[in-house]
Amino acid sequence: MYSGQPAAAKELWRTPRNFYSVDREVSIAKRLKNLTHARIASLLDQTWKPGQSDAIDLYILYSPLSTSNFLALYKSKASLDTRTRLFTQVLEGIAFLHENGITHRDIKPANLTVRSYDPPDAQIIDFGCATTETKTLYDRPGTIPYLAPEQRDGQYHDLSVDYWACALVGAELIGLKRNNERIGDEGLKTIHSWLDQQNSNAVVKSCRAMLKVEPEGRMTAEKVLEEYLDPYRGDMKKGSKRALDAP
């Protein structure tokens, strides 16, 4: 497939142990291709190969290609306003996924790309852990520091795990420093105490609302957008500074 667009190629290996998850990712990518949204990386092709001799079992192409992610955003000198707008866009993407029956299950800074700082332009990528099931028995998806309390062996979880992970990303976005361990009871108390010490702003309020132990207590992405982030929604009509050019 030749579209003229820069794209990101993801290599997928099918093995007896992972063929189900690989096929699930391709299925969800195809589904998203027909559900376009500005905050979701779109599928270009799931059959492309760079050459006949290549040993990789499968490639899927996503576009547009992004040059940065939230890990770089954390370290940048981007303003609180820019950070809040990018965070808002992530929640818009999550709300869209959930509206269409998809739970991402691996929200983390590396899976949140920044295509531009001016105007702010973020996208969600990598649907390797995503599911369309409303209740899922924990099958070890996700990344340990962002796992919700209910993501444990023998327990079921639902789309609210995305809200928990978004809350942790939001807190890190405004300065929270933590290790790469899973959040336990004491860690959660520490984070809430840290949030209480920050100047009250839209991101702080959003994080408090989503970072709840009980899944049913977490505010949904759509509700957070309505309650706290509505002023930051919509595209900004500014320049076109690339993420690589950000301070």
Side-chain angles (χ1 to χ4, degrees), residues 12-84:
L12 298 175
W13 292 80
R14 279 195 186 91
T15 69
R17 295 184 63 182
N18 77 348
F19 75 91
Y20 172 76
S21 62
V22 169
D23 289 347
R24 180 181 62 194
E25 179 173 3
V26 173
S27 175
I28 288 175
K30 289 180 180 178
R31 182 171 178 174
L32 287 171
K33 187 176 183 179
N34 299 318
L35 297 170
T36 56
H37 190 278
R39 303 304 154 214
I40 306 297
S42 59
L43 176 71
L44 280 180
D45 192 11
Q46 73 278 358
T47 60
W48 175 82
K49 286 190 175 183
Q52 294 298 319
S53 62
D54 196 276
I56 302 297
D57 184 61
L58 177 68
Y59 285 84
I60 51 178
L61 295 184
Y62 285 101
S63 182
L65 179 65
S66 297
T67 58
S68 187
N69 60 30
F70 270 43
L71 289 171
L73 174 60
Y74 289 176
K75 300 175 183 178
S76 77
K77 296 180 181 179
S79 67
L80 177 60
D81 182 81
T82 296
R83 291 168 186 259
T84 304

Side-chain angles (χ1 to χ4, degrees), residues 95-112:
F96 173 79
L97 289 175
H98 291 180
E99 181 182 345
N100 287 281
I102 298 171
T103 304
H104 189 281
R105 299 201 303 171
D106 196 20
I107 294 297
K108 60 183 178 181
N111 285 342
L112 305 174

Side-chain angles (χ1 to χ4, degrees), residues 56-202:
I56 302 297
D57 184 61
L58 177 68
Y59 285 84
I60 51 178
L61 295 184
Y62 285 101
S63 182
L65 179 65
S66 297
T67 58
S68 187
N69 60 30
F70 270 43
L71 289 171
L73 174 60
Y74 289 176
K75 300 175 183 178
S76 77
K77 296 180 181 179
S79 67
L80 177 60
D81 182 81
T82 296
R83 291 168 186 259
T84 304
R85 291 182 186 279
L86 290 167
F87 181 63
T88 299
Q89 291 174 358
V90 169
L91 288 180
E92 287 176 333
I94 291 297
F96 173 79
L97 289 175
H98 291 180
E99 181 182 345
N100 287 281
I102 298 171
T103 304
H104 189 281
R105 299 201 303 171
D106 196 20
I107 294 297
K108 60 183 178 181
N111 285 342
L112 305 174
T113 67
V114 180
R115 293 195 294 163
S116 168
Y117 284 83
D118 183 14
D121 187 355
Q123 278 195 329
I124 299 170
I125 63 169
D126 198 340
F127 298 91
C129 294
T131 182
T132 55
E133 297 179 16
T134 54
K135 285 280 187 180
T136 308
L137 185 64
Y138 182 59
D139 52 353
R140 304 195 177 185
T143 303
I144 289 175
Y146 300 92
L147 292 179
E150 65 273 21
Q151 287 179 288
R152 296 183 181 278
D153 289 338
Q155 294 190 30
Y156 284 87
H157 59 271
D158 60 17
L159 52 74
S160 63
V161 299
D162 286 347
Y163 308 143
W164 173 276
C166 281
L168 292 175
V169 168
E172 292 169 349
L173 190 59
I174 57 173
L176 175 69
K177 306 295 183 185
R178 64 190 187 95
N179 56 34
N180 288 324
E181 297 177 359
R182 185 178 188 135
I183 300 295
D185 292 341
E186 289 304 314
L188 182 60
K189 291 178 182 178
T190 299
I191 293 173
H192 273 288
S193 176
W194 182 87
L195 288 170
D196 290 341
Q197 296 171 29
Q198 307 309 303
N199 292 329
S200 184
N201 58 52

